[in-house]
Amino acid sequence: MADATASKPGATWLRDPVRISQLLFPVALLILWQLLAFALGDFFVASPLASLRALAEGAGSWLGANAGVTLFALVYGYGLAVVIGVVVGFLLGLSRFAHAVFEPVVVALYALPKVALYPLFLFAFGLTVSSQAWFAMFFGVFPIIIFTMNGTRNVGSVFLKVGRSLRLSRPQLFRSIVFPAILPSLAAGLRIGFGVTFLGVILSQMFAAKSGLGFVLVQSVELHDMPTMYGLVLLLTLFAFLVNGAFLLWERRLTRNHPEKSDAF
Amino acid sequence: MSEAARVRLARWAVILAAVAALEVIPRSGLGDAITLIPLSEIIPEFFELLVEGEFTPHLVATGGAFVLAFLLAAATGIPLGFLLWRYRLLRRTLDPYLTTYYAIPIFAFYPLLLAVLGFNILPVVVISWAWAVVAVILNTAIGLGEVPEVLVKVGRSLSLSRWKVLSRIFFPAAVPYVFTGLKLGMIYALIGVIASEFVLSTRGLGYLVSYNYVNFSTAAMYSAMFLILFLAILLNWTLSAIERRLYAHG
């Protein structure tokens, strides 16, 4: 809806008050952060500049290796979540009966405080990246199952009939009708699943790990290293925001082609 | 048998199979006998800890933080949702940030709050409030926006005052949505409390799991996990039952 102006040249959207205030919002947060740093002092709040400096200093030493561990656990866990979530969601969505049986169960599992089950993953995989990745998968897989399942369920029977009347083969039917019909819903599941998987990685590294950004974060509490802590929080927030933004743009492009299928957040 | 009855039967079969697996898998010798304890050995431990009052202080800590975080989320989320609905520029400005909000690993802020507020109940409450409040804000704003135009026109034709239109038409019509927001807020508040207690704290049910994990008291750890899951399932189930009634009448 806010994109009506996006197709016009840049000069016009800069005059749009919504765009301007959207751009000003992070600036306002930055100013607020700076003011808090002045008001409370650097024992409690590291200034934005000090936090960036801590990150820049870390870039030569601890940051690269630990960010690498976090990124690896994230890719590993998200890969598992996507593969398992899409396959399970698709299979459950194919049958009306299976969908009716499992949907409330999956939704209930999604809403449970699963974080306290992390020791089970530590028992299974030890203090390794694998336990972080499988735990993160356990967070991220449920939204992916739910959205894929509902997307599959909602593939219009008219579309399928058209496909059959065109005598499409099964792979053709899947490629040109079923998959494009599921995609907008799947994309929303992939976006939400990513966010939750990322949260799972950070939480698991905060709880018990020897490396990773979550580990450094908790360590910086013990060392009372405020600039590193604020810098890391900024880094993690920006990363999540940017990846989610990319997913949203993709989703918007997909739903623009299928205007009847707009999924809310 | 009707379709609905078959669905219910199959669902219970799935749930029972999952519970049976908790008994069978540890006994099968597939895993490590120290870490995998059959359900039938956890349940007596659970009741023993319950009767001895081992859970009580942690239950009180978790319950207190949960209630506080939820009440704060409701008290701040509903007015903020109202403002968001009332002011179009505000809503359109914040829209991309609010849709991205739950993608941010908010718990990364928890160590920061610990450092600022100290090792007490406050960081737990603040982080859980932050996790819960946005769901309340969004659903309140959506609910007020979804009020049918017809109802608003009826109000105008009766020449009701601004306040009366709000209190007699908008608020009652938005109740189911606001309730959905409060339901999510409650679930998120509980997740927030358990997660922050588990990661780093000195009391609460989440802490009890991590404490028993660190001390190799596996049976006690499973007992605490069961208590958390039991409470969460009970909460979700109650809230969903109320929600179904609200939408049925609305």
Side-chain angles (χ1 to χ4, degrees):
Chain A
M1 45 159 189
D3 281 61
T5 49
S7 53
K8 291 176 193 164
T12 350
W13 74 255
L14 265 180
R15 256 178 267 138
D16 179 359
V18 173
R19 291 280 164 171
I20 294 169
S21 54
Q22 279 176 348
L23 289 176
L24 285 179
F25 181 67
V27 179
L29 286 183
L30 199 64
I31 293 172
L32 183 70
W33 178 6
Q34 182 64 62
L35 288 178
L36 277 174
F38 278 137
L40 299 173
D42 61 5
F43 186 78
F44 289 122
V45 183
S47 72
L49 209 62
S51 310
L52 285 178
R53 206 179 297 132
L55 282 182
E57 280 165 16
S61 52
W62 55 266
L63 186 58
N66 287 295
V69 172
T70 298
L71 218 54
F72 179 65
L74 178 62
V75 171
Y76 183 176
Y78 188 58
L80 289 170
V82 170
V83 172
I84 298 172
V86 169
V87 170
V88 172
F90 183 65
L91 292 178
L92 290 180
L94 283 178
S95 142
R96 200 161 56 93
F97 185 71
H99 179 266
V101 171
F102 282 97
E103 207 237 14
V105 179
V106 179
V107 171
L109 285 172
Y110 184 31
L112 289 182
K114 294 180 288 293
V115 59
L117 300 180
Y118 185 47
L120 297 177
F121 293 85
L122 289 171
F123 285 156
F125 299 99
L127 271 178
T128 63
V129 178
S130 287
S131 61
Q132 297 165 13
W134 280 93
F135 175 67
M137 177 287 293
F138 187 51
F139 267 51
V141 77
F142 293 106
I144 300 181
I145 294 179
I146 293 168
F147 278 87
T148 313
M149 180 165 71
N150 291 339
T152 310
R153 202 77 288 272
N154 292 335
V155 175
S157 56
V158 181
F159 290 151
L160 291 176
K161 278 180 189 154
V162 171
R164 283 202 201 98
S165 73
L166 291 171
R167 296 181 182 284
L168 296 182
S169 67
R170 269 184 172 264
Q172 276 174 328
L173 195 70
F174 183 80
R175 204 173 43 234
S176 50
I177 293 188
V178 177
F179 185 67
I182 300 174
L183 198 55
S185 174
L186 175 64
L190 291 179
R191 171 172 61 84
I192 295 167
F194 183 87
V196 193
T197 306
F198 187 44
L199 177 65
V201 170
I202 300 299
L203 278 176
S204 63
Q205 292 182 344
M206 282 168 79
F207 178 70
K210 296 187 188 79
S211 57
L213 296 181
F215 162 74
V216 182
L217 198 58
V218 169
Q219 200 188 32
S220 64
V221 182
E222 281 146 23
L223 303 172
H224 203 85
D225 181 354
M226 300 311 260
T228 301
M229 201 192 301
Y230 278 78
L232 274 178
V233 172
L234 177 70
L235 185 69
L236 295 172
T237 306
L238 280 181
F239 174 74
F241 189 80
L242 290 176
V243 175
N244 194 68
F247 269 110
L248 273 175
L249 285 180
W250 179 46
E251 231 174 283
R252 217 159 269 173
R253 282 221 336 239
L254 289 173
T255 43
R256 199 173 293 158
N257 301 333
H258 305 259
E260 78 282 6
K261 283 209 175 232
S262 62
D263 282 288
F265 32 87
Chain B
M1 201 178 352
S2 75
E3 171 84 14
R6 273 174 43 225
V7 165
R8 255 200 308 277
L9 195 71
R11 194 180 299 143
W12 277 110
V14 170
I15 293 167
L16 282 178
V19 173
L22 297 180
E23 179 68 26
V24 174
I25 293 174
R27 290 201 182 279
S28 69
L30 278 175
D32 180 352
I34 302 162
T35 55
L36 287 177
I37 300 176
L39 190 61
S40 57
E41 286 171 32
I42 296 169
I43 291 171
E45 171 88 9
F46 173 84
F47 282 106
E48 206 180 300
L49 291 172
L50 191 69
V51 172
E52 282 171 0
E54 288 284 323
F55 289 139
T56 318
H58 301 289
L59 205 55
V60 169
T62 299
F66 164 67
V67 170
L68 221 57
F70 170 72
L71 289 180
L72 268 177
T76 52
I78 295 176
L80 287 173
F82 173 74
L83 289 179
L84 204 63
W85 165 73
R86 188 75 185 69
Y87 297 101
R88 205 176 132 76
L89 181 64
L90 186 69
R91 182 169 71 240
R92 293 190 57 196
T93 301
L94 294 182
D95 182 59
Y97 298 104
L98 289 172
T99 36
T100 317
Y101 183 78
Y102 280 107
I104 293 167
I106 258 314
F107 291 93
F109 285 80
Y110 180 60
L112 205 150
L113 291 170
L114 279 176
V116 174
L117 301 170
F119 274 78
N120 51 52
I121 194 178
L122 272 180
V124 178
V125 172
V126 172
I127 207 78
S128 310
W129 164 80
W131 192 237
V133 71
V134 173
V136 180
I137 295 176
L138 285 173
N139 282 284
T140 305
I142 292 171
L144 288 167
E146 290 283 311
V147 173
E149 191 63 23
V150 187
L151 292 182
V152 184
K153 278 186 182 149
V154 171
R156 282 213 202 94
S157 73
L158 293 171
S159 53
L160 296 180
S161 67
R162 263 177 108 82
W163 167 244
K164 282 225 161 126
V165 172
L166 275 179
S167 64
R168 299 285 165 82
I169 294 179
F170 276 101
F171 290 145
V175 161
Y177 288 89
V178 175
F179 182 82
T180 299
L182 293 177
K183 178 189 105 167
L184 287 175
M186 228 181 237
I187 291 170
Y188 289 176
L190 183 64
I191 294 178
V193 170
I194 300 291
S196 44
E197 284 173 350
F198 176 73
V199 166
L200 206 62
S201 77
T202 51
R203 76 191 95 178
L205 293 176
Y207 164 76
L208 198 58
V209 173
S210 72
Y211 172 84
N212 285 315
Y213 166 74
V214 172
N215 289 294
F216 305 104
S217 320
T218 318
M221 181 196 81
Y222 282 122
S223 301
M225 278 182 189
F226 273 102
L227 185 57
I228 290 171
L229 293 181
F230 172 75
L231 292 174
I233 290 169
L234 192 70
L235 179 72
N236 290 359
W237 184 76
T238 314
L239 291 172
S240 301
I242 299 173
E243 193 179 37
R244 267 198 301 278
R245 290 194 143 197
L246 274 178
Y247 279 97
H249 289 296

